[in-house]
Amino acid sequence: MTATAMILAAGLGTRLRPLTDSMPKALVPYRGVPMIESLILRLKTEGFSRIVINVHHFADMIEDYIRSKDCYGADIVFSDERDILRDTGGGIRHAWCSGLLGDSPVLVHNVDIITSGIGLRNFYDSAVSSGAAASLLVSGRMSSRYLLAGGDGLLRGWTYPAKGLVKGIGHAADVPVECPSAVDPHSMPASVPCAFSGIHVIAPEALNIMKDWPDRFSVIDFYLGIAAAHTVRCVSAPDGAVITDIGRLSRLS
């Protein structure tokens, strides 16, 4: 199977200011190498033969840099979002509706996430074999927001404890369920809180549903919206795996 990956690189990188006042987040160096370069080389090594990158903030800089590297010998195409920043779900939808993602499941990877101890191609192949509409890589790391998984590993909700918010599956994105007091993630029956890694595999079944969604939306809201009728799995990262969000200044030092 031709394995396609999409790198979400269109964001403004506000957590990395002032660096991102003059460059896109994707080109901010981590250990001396632009974060997007490290990710492209990782994906290529793991057998992803086609890579789609969405661009918005300093889009020309990203495109020029990658082309100056002869696209690292990979089949790389750009999903142009210069007109509007579409958020995570809208960015995937735009690439799909533009015909850039092909007709196979797609591994989606945030540009500012680095991992060790995780085989991306193994995760992709397992997700494809499961037949699920989507598979979300999760872990037990600390986070401000958590997905809620049932005992069967399926997505059951989302919580933002600091703001006292919980969303269950099927709820509209703009109608969160208010908790009367501090959120206990275990308050939802048989739910387990888990941190989303920013890495997921989405099948054509789910991509087709996206066509009816608006131009801009969060992919988490999308998964919550379809999980009542479609299989959305929360897949735990292997023991010993490390997932780090380098999209903030404190993580770059």
Side-chain angles (χ1 to χ4, degrees):
M1 177 184 295
T2 298
T4 298
M6 180 172 183
I7 300 175
L8 298 182
L12 300 177
T14 54
R15 297 179 302 162
L16 286 172
R17 285 176 176 163
L19 298 177
T20 48
D21 289 338
S22 57
M23 72 172 70
K25 174 171 62 175
L27 294 185
V28 171
Y30 178 72
R31 296 182 175 174
V33 180
M35 58 178 71
I36 197 167
E37 180 171 321
S38 297
L39 181 52
I40 290 171
L41 294 175
R42 169 93 181 274
L43 291 168
K44 183 182 174 184
T45 297
E46 295 217 26
F48 289 89
S49 56
R50 180 176 176 81
I51 300 173
V52 179
I53 303 170
N54 71 334
V55 292
H56 171 80
H57 186 55
F58 290 114
D60 290 350
M61 291 179 67
I62 297 176
E63 292 181 354
D64 291 347
Y65 182 83
I66 291 174
R67 287 173 177 145
S68 75
K69 301 290 185 176
D70 294 324
C71 294
Y72 305 94
D75 178 11
I76 294 179
V77 295
F78 298 97
S79 180
D80 191 342
E81 294 185 32
R82 286 174 174 83
D83 59 335
I84 179 176
L85 187 59
R86 291 174 163 81
D87 205 341
T88 50
I92 298 167
R93 175 190 178 277
H94 182 68
W96 170 254
C97 292
S98 299
L100 300 178
L101 298 181
D103 55 4
S104 300
V106 178
L107 175 85
V108 181
H109 199 303
N110 289 1
V111 72
D112 54 4
I113 297 296
I114 59 170
T115 64
S116 63
I118 296 172
L120 295 177
R121 184 57 190 260
N122 289 341
F123 172 62
Y124 174 86
D125 289 342
S126 175
V128 173
S129 297
S130 75
S135 296
L136 286 55
L137 185 67
V138 300
S139 72
R141 67 187 175 92
M142 297 295 294
S143 178
S144 60
R145 290 155 286 188
Y146 295 94
L147 299 179
L148 297 171
D152 54 4
L154 299 182
L155 180 65
R156 290 288 177 261
W158 170 93
T159 181
Y160 193 162
K163 293 191 175 181
L165 295 176
V166 169
K167 295 179 185 179
I169 59 175
H171 286 291
D174 57 350
V175 189
V177 179
E178 296 281 353
C179 275
S181 59
V183 173
D184 175 6
H186 296 281
S187 63
M188 295 184 70
S191 65
V192 177
C194 45
F196 180 46
S197 67
I199 302 169
H200 43 123
V201 174
I202 182 167
E205 169 191 351
L207 290 167
N208 276 319
I209 300 170
M210 277 188 172
K211 291 189 295 186
D212 297 325
W213 280 59
D215 285 341
R216 179 186 297 158
F217 60 93
S218 160
V219 74
I220 294 299
D221 285 333
F222 172 75
Y223 287 145
L224 292 171
I226 70 169
H230 301 268
T231 302
V232 180
R233 305 161 65 228
C234 294
V235 181
S236 295
D239 291 341
V242 178
I243 300 170
T244 305
D245 176 358
I246 57 172
R248 61 186 67 189
L249 286 173
S250 60
R251 298 290 173 84
L252 287 174
S253 60

